[in-house]
Amino acid sequence: MTQAAPIVSEPDVVRDGAALEVLHRVFGYPAFRGYQAEIIAELLAGRDALVLMPTGGGKSLCYQVPALVRDGVGVVISPLIALMQDQVDALRALGVRAGFLNSTQDAGQRQQVERAFLAGELDLLYLAPERLRVESTAQLLDRGTIALFAIDEAHCVAQWGHDFRPDYLALSTIHERWPEVPRIALTATATDATRAEIATRLNLTEARHFVASFDRPNIAYRIVGKDQPRQQLMDLIHAEHAGDAGIVYCLSRSSVEATAEFLNAHGIPALPYHAGLDARVRAANQSRFLREEGVVMVATIAFGMGIDKPDVRFVAHLDLPKSVEGYYQETGRAGRDGLPSTAWLAYGLADVVQQRKMIETSDGDAAHRRRLGSHLDAMLALCETVECRRSQLLAYFGEPGGPCGNCDTCLVPAESWDGTVAAQKVLSAVFRLDRERRQRFGAGHVVDILLGKHTAKVDQFGHHALSVFGIGTELRDGEWRGVVRQLLAQGLLSVEGDHGTLGLTNHSAAVLYRGREVRFRREPERTRSASRTSGSKRPAVDLPQEAVGVFERLRAWRAATAAEQGIPAYVVFHDATLRQIAILNPGDLQGLGRVSGVGENKLAKYGEQILATLHSG
Ligand code: ADP
Ligand code: ZN
C-alpha cells in the first residue's frame, strides 16, 4: 500500500498545484479549509487517511478533489442509496463526470454506467456497500483504473452504533484486493472509541488520522423546558424561522404524524418521515424537502444521515435524544452552509421517565443496559447544565473550550440553587410510598402529596395521613416536577416498571440521611420571546439594504432554473453564493467568476443569465 513517503519534493508541489487548480476551476472556491489540503496531499501521495469532521466541515472535497487529480475513477462507498442521484446531479452541475451503481437501477442503466467506467469516462463512481460483495462488481473494478476508495459514513462499521450496517464489515477486504489504491474513511461521529473501531474494522492501521474541531459556531444551541411542545415549536418557527427549512425530530411514528398535521394546520408546510411509511412516500417527501424551499421535515431519527441540504436553518427535538452523539449528529444537519442556525430541544420530566423505563425494559444484557444508561446520563447532564452548552458538548468529544456566547446558557445565564432540602422532601415521600410496594405511584402523585392536594388517589390511599403530606408548598407544581426530573437525571431517583414508579437509588441515602448537597438548575420563567434579544431576521436575507432586492431577484431566478432542471435550488447555487453576488454586483463574467462557489462550469452555464438578472433591476 505505502509508497515511499515523499517529504516535500518537487512532484508533491506540482500535485498540490493541481489540487488547488481543481478547487478553483471546478468548485469555484478560493482556498482549502482546515485539514482539507493535508488530507488531499496524503491521498495524492498514495497513502490512506481517516477523517473525522463535523457535518458541514467539508468532507466531500477531501475525496472529490484527489479523485479528479489522480488517474482513474474515485470509488465512493456510501450507504445512502436514496441520495446518490442527488449527489451525482450536484457533481454533474459542476461538470464532474459522476455515476452510481445501486439497487434502484435496472440492468440497462447499470450497463450504461459500467460502460462509462470502463471507457474511462467517469471521475467518480458511487457504490452501495453491498454492491462490492458481488463478485461481478469487483471484477468490473479490476478492469478499470481506480484513483482512490472513499468510505463515507464510516461509522456504519461500528457494531454498537445506531447506524451499523453489516455490509460495511466486508469493506476491510478492499485493501487486500486493491493494495495499491489509497483509501479514505470519513465520518462525522466524533468519539475516540468509534474512531478506533473504524480503524481496526476497516483495516486502516497505517492511515493517518485527521480529527477536526467539532465545533459548529454558527449553530445556536437551546434546550427549553417542555410544556406544550407543539405550540412551543410553532412559536419558535413564527418568531425566528418563518419560511425556513427545518427538521423536527420526534421519538415515535405517531407523534411524527401528529406534529406534521399540527404544523400544516397552522400554515407551516410540513411533511412526515418515518420507517413505517411506504418507501415511495418517504422518497417523495425527502425529495420535496430537498427541492422546495421552506419545507419542515418532521421525522424519526430514520431521517437525515447524508442529507446535504446546506440551508436547513433549524433542527428541533420534541423528544429527548438517547445520546449526546445522536443529538450532535442530528443538530449538525442545521447550517451546513455556515450561516446562523438554531438547534432547539424541548425536554421535560416525562422524557426522563420514558427513557429510563425504555432502558429498564430493553433487550440485551446488563452491560448493554449500563451502556444505554451512561449515554442517557450524558444527555441529561447536557440538558441540566448551568454552564455553556457548547463547551459541555465539545468536552464530551474531548475538546476543550470556554463559554461560547451563542447558546442559551451563555445568552441568559442559568442559575443553580441549593436544593438539598427539596430533594430530601421528595426522597422521603418516595421512601414512604415505597413501603406500599404493591402500589404504583409516579411523579405526579408524589408532587400532589408534597403540595397537600386532596386528589382522588390521595384520598383513596389515605395519603393525607403521611407525614410528608403538604410539606412542600414553597414550590409550585411545575417546580416540583423540575426537582423530580433533576433527581432522576442525577441518579438520585430511579424509575421502575411499566408505570413509571419512582424508587430510591444507592445514592439516595447520602442525601436523605447525611445531607449531601444537591444543586438544581433554576427553571427560568417561560416567556414567549425567551432567549433571543432581538427578533432576529432570516439570516440569509441579512444583507445591506441595497442588496436585498437583488438577492430576491437572484433567488427567484434560481428557483425557476432549479424547477426547470428538476434539481434542488442549492445545486444551482448556495444562498451564501447568491448573497455574495448580490453584495458584489459584478459587471462582467470575469468578476462573477471570482465569487466563491462559482466554478468554470456554472459560470459558462449561468453566467449570462445572472448578469441579466443583475441588470434587470
Ligand atoms: P460534510 O460532508 O463534511 O458534511 P460538505 O462536504 O457537504 O460537508 O461541505 C459542506 C459545505 O461547505 C458545502 O456546501 C461545501 O460546498 C462547502 N465547502 C467545503 N469545502 C469548502 C472550501 N474549501 N471553501 C468553500 N466552501 C467549501
Ligand atoms: Zn455557550
Side-chain angles (χ1 to χ4, degrees), residues 275-404:
L277 289 171
D278 183 77
R280 266 172 318 199
V281 176
R282 281 206 308 266
N285 287 357
Q286 173 172 302
S287 166
R288 279 191 58 194
F289 175 70
L290 295 177
R291 277 168 180 70
E292 294 172 23
E293 294 196 50
V295 173
V296 176
M297 186 64 110
V298 187
T300 60
I301 56 169
F303 177 77
M305 203 208 321
I307 290 290
D308 52 7
K309 186 174 168 60
D311 54 357
V312 175
R313 292 271 73 85
F314 67 92
V315 170
H317 282 89
L318 292 189
D319 294 300
L320 185 68
K322 292 188 175 67
S323 69
V324 175
E325 282 96 331
Y327 171 75
Y328 206 61
Q329 289 240 337
E330 287 140 27
T331 54
R333 289 162 192 154
R336 291 169 86 114
D337 54 10
L339 298 175
S341 308
T342 307
W344 180 92
L345 161 66
Y347 147 80
L349 172 58
D351 287 296
V352 195
V353 172
Q354 186 187 26
Q355 298 255 355
R356 287 261 194 253
K357 243 164 44 190
M358 266 163 48
I359 293 174
E360 179 99 344
T361 57
S362 78
D363 300 336
D365 53 11
H368 180 57
R369 277 200 294 276
R370 257 201 310 282
R371 194 160 36 229
L372 295 177
S374 59
H375 282 169
L376 178 61
D377 287 342
M379 190 62 222
L380 292 173
L382 177 68
C383 292
E384 304 291 4
T385 188
V386 293
E387 311 284 327
C388 169
R389 307 264 190 215
R390 186 185 316 272
S391 50
Q392 181 146 343
L393 273 168
L394 292 175
Y396 183 80
F397 298 120
E399 215 178 306
C404 74

Side-chain angles (χ1 to χ4, degrees), residues 23 29-33 36 53-61 308 310 336-337 574 596:
L23 182 75
Y29 294 141
F32 286 116
R33 274 188 194 158
Q36 281 175 337
M53 265 188 205
T55 309
K59 285 185 286 300
S60 338
L61 282 190
D308 52 7
R336 291 169 86 114
D337 54 10
H574 286 184
S596 176

Side-chain angles (χ1 to χ4, degrees), residues 16 21 24 64 76 96 98 168 209 217 221 231 241 285 314 361 376 408 430 444 499 510 531 539 557 569 577 596 604:
D16 263 357
E21 191 272 331
H24 294 164
Q64 289 168 349
V76 185
V96 175
Y168 262 64
H209 293 203
Y221 296 97
Q231 184 62 46
H241 289 291
N285 287 357
F314 67 92
T361 57
L376 178 61
D408 52 359
V430 170
H499 293 77
S531 56
W557 166 81
T577 303
S596 176

